[in-house]
Amino acid sequence: MATVVAFHAHPDDEILLTGGTLAKLADAGHRTVIVVASDGHVEPFEGDVAPRLRELRASAGVLGVARVEHLGYADSGHGEVLYPDPPGRTRFVRAGAEEAAERLAAILGEERPQVLLSYDRNGGYGHRDHVRVHEVGARAAKLAGTQRVLDATMPREFLLRLTAPARWLGRDTDDIRTGYTARADITHQVDVGSFAAQRLAALAEHRSVVTGSSRFATIARTLRRMPAPLRARLLRWEWYAEEGCRPPSSGPLGDIFAVPD
């Protein structure tokens, strides 16, 4: 059996980008590990353990994940303003990239994964923490000698079609036009349709987020309310672009352990 480490920016990111893959791997008997860079909190919180980290552990349990680790940073937030560091915590983008990479590399050295799942160089829709995940993940893989890095992403063309109604209403979708990954550069497309219910159950564990007003909360509520057939279509696939590889001429591979020629 293999080990796969999924590196994410915040608690809840693991659901939308890699939740089905992680559940599928665990179901097949592989060891799966989630590492998050930040605790997901922009503001201070009460207690010794960040509430969103507790929710992450519950979500990971639903997905069958064997280990969850936090690199120790705070959420940097998304938008023009980068707020001061909260008491006793450093925002992820303010931390040295080499320091963060060394922390992740230490975990990779313990786990010796066959594959590291990270983010595409655009950071998906451009969140500063997501961009930094790509940078830190690539560097940590080199430090630890992890041979394969697959960037979790989505086909840009698919998202542009999905958000066409928003553009008709005059909403800004420039972060999608310039983000994520062109379909022609995607090396792996994993069928995770049979794990959609498990992903939704894991999503529900992120209670403090799904009841909020963020973009993620809106997506979560929309997924839970939409007709089951449409939801199944939207949650069927997860996509990856392997670092240093071109997609096969026959199309994306269906297994993350398969290596493009």
Side-chain angles (χ1 to χ4, degrees):
M1 292 293 106
T3 296
V4 174
V5 174
F7 181 39
H8 288 281
H10 318 99
D12 72 35
D13 289 332
E14 81 285 352
I15 299 298
L16 288 182
L17 290 172
T18 65
T21 302
L22 292 172
K24 187 172 187 175
L25 290 168
D27 183 68
H30 299 295
R31 177 175 173 82
T32 54
V33 177
I34 292 175
V35 180
V36 289
S38 85
D39 55 27
H41 290 271
V42 176
E43 302 294 336
F45 55 83
E46 296 182 2
D48 295 331
V49 179
R52 288 187 63 187
L53 288 178
R54 287 197 295 268
E55 293 170 351
L56 171 63
R57 294 183 186 282
S59 170
V62 173
L63 297 175
V65 171
R67 178 183 180 186
V68 176
E69 293 291 340
H70 171 222
L71 293 189
Y73 302 111
D75 193 331
S76 304
H78 184 52
E80 294 182 1
V81 178
L82 176 58
Y83 293 101
D85 291 341
R89 297 182 295 147
T90 302
R91 299 201 187 279
F92 182 40
V93 295
R94 282 209 179 94
E98 190 70 12
E99 172 199 275
E102 289 173 356
R103 292 186 185 187
L104 176 58
I107 297 170
L108 296 179
E110 294 168 5
E111 293 290 343
R112 299 187 179 279
Q114 280 67 42
V115 177
L116 170 65
L117 305 180
S118 185
Y119 291 173
D120 63 63
R121 63 186 66 256
N122 294 314
Y125 61 93
H127 191 299
R128 55 174 67 97
D129 281 342
H130 290 217
V131 174
R132 181 54 64 92
V133 160
H134 173 80
E135 297 165 352
V136 169
R139 177 59 179 157
K142 290 182 179 178
L143 291 174
T146 302
Q147 296 299 310
R148 299 186 63 213
V149 180
L150 272 62
D151 294 336
T153 189
M154 294 183 186
R156 187 180 300 138
E157 298 87 343
F158 167 74
L159 291 171
L160 286 171
R161 288 198 304 272
L162 200 63
T163 56
R167 289 194 298 280
W168 297 338
L169 294 172
R171 296 179 183 174
D172 182 10
T173 58
D174 284 349
D175 54 353
I176 294 174
R177 289 181 182 277
T178 59
Y180 294 94
T181 303
R183 185 176 291 278
D185 293 325
I186 288 176
T187 58
H188 296 75
Q189 179 175 313
V190 182
D191 188 342
V192 296
S194 59
F195 297 91
Q198 201 170 341
R199 289 175 73 185
L200 287 173
L203 175 63
E205 295 293 345
H206 291 283
R207 293 180 176 86
S208 64
V209 177
V210 298
T211 58
S213 58
S214 67
R215 175 188 294 200
F216 182 84
T218 301
I219 293 172
R221 286 193 291 269
T222 301
L223 283 172
R224 295 173 71 180
R225 292 171 182 168
M226 70 175 48
L230 177 58
R231 184 171 61 219
R233 288 186 63 185
L234 287 175
L235 295 179
R236 180 174 179 183
W237 305 103
E238 288 178 347
W239 298 270
Y240 302 90
E242 183 161 2
E243 287 288 311
C245 294
R246 295 294 301 169
S249 57
S250 57
L253 300 167
D255 180 355
I256 67 167
F257 298 121
V259 181
D261 294 334

